[in-house]
Structures are given as C-alpha cells and as structure tokens.
Amino acid sequence: MSPERPRRSIATVCLSGTLEDKLAAASAAGFDGVEVFEPDLVAAPWSPAELAARCADLGLSIDLYQPFRDLDSTDPERAARNLRRLDRKLDVMAALGVDTVLVCSSVAPDAVDDADLLAEQLAAAAAHAAGRGARIAYEALAWGRHVSTWERSWDAVRRAGSPALGLCLDSFHVLSRGGDPAGFAEVPGEKLFFLQLADAPALRMDVLQWSRHHRLFPGQGAFDLPRFVECVLAAGYAGPLSLEVFNDVYRQADPARTAVDAVRSLQWLEEELALRCPQLGLPLPPAAPPLTGWSFTELAVDDVSGPQVGGVLAALGFAHTGRHRSKPVQLWEQGPHPASRARVLLNASADRSAAAGTASVAALGLESADPRRSAARAEAMSAPVLPRTRGAAEAELSAVAAPDGTEVFFTRTGPDGWPADFLPTGERPGPGAGITGIDHVGLTQPFDAFDEAGLFYRAVLGLEPQEVTELAAPFGLVRTRAVTGPDRAVRLALSVSALRRGGWAPGVPEPQYVALATDDLVATARALRAAGAPLLPVPANYADDLAARLDLPGDLLDAVREHGLMYEEDAHGGYLHLATDVLGDRVFLEVVQRLGGYDGYGTADAPVRMAAHRRRRQARTAGRG
Ligand code: MG
C-alpha cells in the first residue's frame, strides 16, 4: 500500500475575493477541502445546498463551519438565545453537509469564568449538535476573556464529558502564548476534532493584532510548526491539516497565487513531518539535491543597457567569451579556472515589460548535484518547470519561476553542459581584476511576494531562510532576509520595502545587484579604478565613522578612504565591499571580500550606499536636463 498524506484544507478566510474566487483558487491549487468562513457564506449568492454542490463540483470537501462566537453567557436568557442561534447554524450545516462547527472561546463581557458553568453550557450546546448528527470543536482564542489557553479549553471539554464536544487546536493561539504542544499527549485522540495551522513572525505585540495582521503560512515565520503538528499527530489526531491565516497581504492578493503559496506550505510541512516521524509512513517528495554554487547570473538588457553593462563588465575584468547559438545572449566570464569563475549572461531576447534602457536580473543559474531531481522536486512543490524553446544541439536546462518572476535554472556546468550552447568569440577568460565567482545576488521583492519568496526558496530549492532584519534606509524602512544553502555556496539576499511606496520614490526602484567575490578587494579595487570602472563614491564621513567605531589597521582604513570601500563586521568576521553605479536604472554590481566567517550581506552599510546611488542619479538626471 502506498503511504497516504494527510488531507489538505484551507479556511476560505485565508484568500482574497468572493467565495466564488476563493473556492476556484483552492481547487486549482490542489486542496482537498475548505473551512467555510461564515461571513463568506453570508455574502455569497448561493444557498448552502448550492454551495455544497459547487464544492463537490470542484472536488472540495467542506471540513469545518466557522466561527461560532460568544456561545457561553453568565446571563441565562442570553445563553438560551445563543443556543437558538446555534440551532439555526446547525440547519445551515446540515444543508452544507458539514458536521463540525468551530466554537471559539468567548470574548464578550458576559463570558463564563466558572469552570463548571462553562462545561455545563458547552455540554448543552454539544447536545444540540449531537441531536443533528453534528459536533463542536472548541477553540481557545489567545485573547479569549477567560479561556485563552488550550489547557483551559481542554479542561472545559473534559469536564463537559460530551462525545459531541472536542478541541480545535490552532497553532497560532497556542504558540503565540508560548504554549507547549508536548502537553497534547494528555488529550485522547478522539477529542482532537480539528487542527488549524498558521505560522507567524517573531513579534512582541498584542496577540489579537499579531493574529489579525501577521499570520503566515507554515514555513514562512518563526514558529516550530513541524514539532507542533508532530505532537498533535502523536496524540492521535487523524483529520486534515487545515490552514487559517489572516494577513494584510493575503487579504488583498490574487487568491490563485495565495492558494499555491498555501499548498506549498503544507507540502513543505508534510515533508518535515515525514522526516521527523518515519513511523507515520508519510510519502516523501524527491529530496532537494545540494546546490553547489553559481553557474551564472543572467541580466535582461536592451540596445541601450546591453552595451552599458557590457562596458562595465569589461572594466571589471570580464571577457566576452561566447555568443549563444540561437539567441541574442552574450556570455561574459572572469577567472582562470572553470571551478572559480564568475559568469554573467546578457540576454537581449528576454520578454521585457521594463522601460527602455533598463537592465534587470532575469535568471539565476544554480549548480545542482542532480538537475533532473531538482526539477522533479520543484514540480512536487507546486513550482512547475517552465516551458522552453530549445535549438538543436542545445543543452537541456530546466528552470522554474520564482515569485518575483526571476527564472531559476538547475545546471551542471561541464564541457557538455550549457556553456556548449555558446560559440566562442575568441576572447579567453583571464584573471581579470581578481574576481573569482558570484558571492550572492540581491533581489528586491515585490511587496506582496516577500514571505512567499522565502517559502519558495526553502521548499523548492532546499535553501534555509535566515533571520529577518530591518534597516532604516533613507527612503523608508527596508526588510531583508537571506536564504542560503547549508555550506553557503548559494546565497540570495531578499529585501522589500516595509510599506508600500507612495508617489515620492527617489531611491532606485526595486534595486537588484550581483555581488562578485574576490580574495583581495583592495587589489581588485585598484585594478577597477585603473580600468575606469564606475565605482560608487562613498562619503568621507563614512570612513571617519568607521575609524571611530572599530580599531582597524591603518592601511585598511587608508584603502577604505582611497577606494571608497565599505566595511562591516558580525560575530564571525568582516566584510569589505564596494558598489558600482546603477546600470540601466535598476541593477548594480558589488565586489565583496569575506574575512573570517562573516555571514552577512553588508546590510548595515546599505543606507550609505542608497544615499550615494540617489546622489548619482540626481547628477545624471541634471546632466540629461
Ligand atoms: Mg482558529
């Protein structure tokens, strides 16, 4: 018998749009079922029976009706009225064909604090449900008036002793209050009626605001969801893994896209569970093969930006070594040995919606230990391999699209690999200016794609998201998060404006950069200056501040001043770096040297760099005018 995965469900409240939009998106992404969020039903044109038929047509079960609020009351009259309200909802549930209703702990002023009275009222409600063949899943809201912990909700369910009353465990409510899922072991499996999953970033704030604005899909935040679910399954839960995520972005983003992001979060979570709990016999997707380095970075260019970027690559010591057999793509290389060589492709054929004269990062070539398995892995993580047109005698290359549209290629660079697609120009790669490879690529994410991107690189490529940091940049707060392989052979620095930009946007719009590695930045900088590379000037104030903060050797400080270098440190080492001017309105190049075990991306220096880029843009604009 082949192992079975848990059923995948999603609350309709996770998705933007009307109920029609939400169901279509959930079905297309491959969910098995939905939780029907009552306000979505109330606003829908369908009767409950028609909704049930629509879900059946789409291959979706209805797994939960939610939420029923403020059931218990210290006012006997109101308690009786709440039971009558419950009866009406049980009618709706019967027409929907769903047998479980979520009752969340009351937040009302008349909520019951007395444990016995609460149990008595829950038991009465469960009796109403049982009479209709239904059952109640009781959930402790983290901000419930008297019941705000799962332990308290379990105490009420246990006291009530009703077979039609069980628990709904919601990872956000438990983990946001520091609850320990190990305690679920004391709950009999048949009392675990439902499981709702949400991740969240590590924030210190009011739990209601945290829940309402910042929930994330599993694998996007800071909660240990694999352990949480492991504890729930170990206690005997056998229902669906259901997502319940409220988030300012997902509330307004394209639901079709959100649903794919959501299903990927469960695909990732299921793999984590399969690895942690082999006894469960869960199916495993193809493992992500190790990514051993960069084969290339591809920039989309046009007639204006192509020659500009090519000229700067030449000044940086690159040689134009190849011309693609069938497309207007140039190969530029630097480094004497194929194993430590930086490669940049300039592609003038990419589909372009960008303004004339723009250059942008179009594709990343990553060396995979097994490109075919990388592609199979991507398919298993809801990232379909992109269709490609390929000429005769051209290498087979699989690529997937990252959330920001960047294509990610899985390559093996060898004599028979993708470089064979390029006809030699006669130029040979040499030592150039001492650049030995690509250290990392920095990509500004579209506002809506930041969390999605972290999960994409984690689930599809097997890269690990690092800590989220925020920096106060000259034109607004910027949030950054790197994703890296375990050995750091591949690093990506993702960033996003913490708020949407308004009309005043003086900085480089959605900047991208390619950070090139050198073993001796001072020597490289000297060579670049001699070759006339357009290096970004750094204010003298920067070097003065550096000298005040750190006890740096005099010759290093001299080099910082002389060449406009930047330097920062973390707990493991130091980082020397420089940047070029912006090329084609969006992209710039960095040259970086890691000292010791430095593991960052020069983020602390980014505001200085941004201000300098702004100054250069102003100078250029003034020159044009
Ligand atoms: Mg919930």
Side-chain angles (χ1 to χ4, degrees), residues 109-439:
D110 60 333
V112 173
D113 190 10
D114 180 83
D116 288 324
L117 180 59
L118 177 62
E120 187 185 304
Q121 293 193 1
L122 285 171
H128 280 240
R132 307 292 298 273
R135 59 184 198 163
I136 290 173
Y138 184 54
E139 174 190 62
L141 296 180
W143 52 90
R145 184 164 291 263
H146 302 299
V147 177
S148 58
T149 62
W150 79 268
E151 289 93 342
R152 189 88 208 262
S153 61
W154 168 230
D155 177 68
V157 166
R158 198 172 40 78
R159 283 171 193 261
S162 164
L165 180 67
L167 281 183
C168 172
L169 293 174
D170 178 315
S171 62
F172 181 86
H173 294 306
V174 176
L175 298 176
S176 65
R177 296 186 56 103
D180 185 358
F184 301 156
E186 70 176 80
V187 183
E190 71 270 13
K191 282 295 183 189
L192 295 174
F193 282 7
F194 211 76
L195 172 62
Q196 292 179 316
L197 297 173
D199 204 338
L203 298 172
R204 300 187 71 85
M205 65 187 298
D206 171 72
V207 280
L208 175 57
Q209 296 303 320
W210 191 9
S211 171
R212 186 172 286 170
H213 298 282
H214 301 286
R215 285 192 182 208
L216 293 169
F217 292 118
Q220 295 179 336
F223 288 167
D224 188 350
L225 267 299
R227 175 167 181 265
F228 186 92
V229 179
E230 178 184 8
C231 292
V232 181
L233 296 183
Y237 175 73
L241 304 184
S242 191
L243 299 167
E244 191 193 33
V245 168
F246 328 109
N247 172 298
D248 292 344
V249 167
Y250 298 131
R251 282 181 199 276
Q252 53 177 290
D254 175 354
R257 183 171 175 155
T258 306
V260 172
D261 192 16
V263 89
R264 182 177 297 136
S265 77
L266 289 180
Q267 290 161 340
W268 170 82
L269 181 61
E270 289 161 16
E271 179 185 37
E272 294 292 311
L273 286 168
L275 294 170
R276 286 175 79 107
C277 321
Q279 73 281 8
L280 295 174
L282 297 175
L284 271 168
L291 298 173
T292 56
W294 293 88
S295 42
F296 60 82
T297 304
E298 178 179 301
L299 303 180
V301 294
D302 63 11
D303 293 351
V304 177
S305 59
Q308 186 195 3
V309 177
V312 172
L313 287 175
L316 261 56
F318 281 79
H320 176 199
T321 57
R323 193 178 296 118
H324 196 273
R325 290 172 186 274
S326 63
K327 297 171 196 152
V329 184
Q330 299 177 350
L331 169 61
W332 291 75
E333 298 182 273
Q334 178 167 184
H337 307 298
S340 59
R341 187 170 286 175
R343 299 182 186 85
V344 177
L345 305 183
L346 299 185
N347 186 344
S349 74
D351 261 353
R352 293 177 58 86
S353 53
T358 307
S360 56
V361 174
L364 311 174
L366 301 178
E367 288 286 276
S368 166
D370 184 345
R372 273 173 199 272
R373 192 149 54 89
S374 288
R377 163 81 180 185
E379 299 269 0
M381 291 289 162
S382 295
V385 169
L386 296 170
R388 292 192 59 76
T389 52
R390 189 155 60 93
E394 289 177 13
E396 182 186 327
L397 276 181
S398 298
V400 295
D404 66 353
T406 305
E407 293 187 14
V408 179
F409 285 86
F410 303 115
T411 63
R412 282 198 87 165
T413 303
D416 304 328
W418 66 272
D421 293 349
F422 288 82
L423 299 168
T425 59
E427 280 192 55
R428 306 274 305 157
I435 287 166
T436 56
I438 294 171
D439 181 272

Side-chain angles (χ1 to χ4, degrees), residues 587-608:
V587 170
F588 59 94
L589 304 173
E590 286 200 354
V591 187
V592 310
Q593 180 185 0
R594 291 181 185 272
L595 302 159
Y598 177 84
D599 200 27
Y601 301 85
T603 309
D605 292 329
V608 174

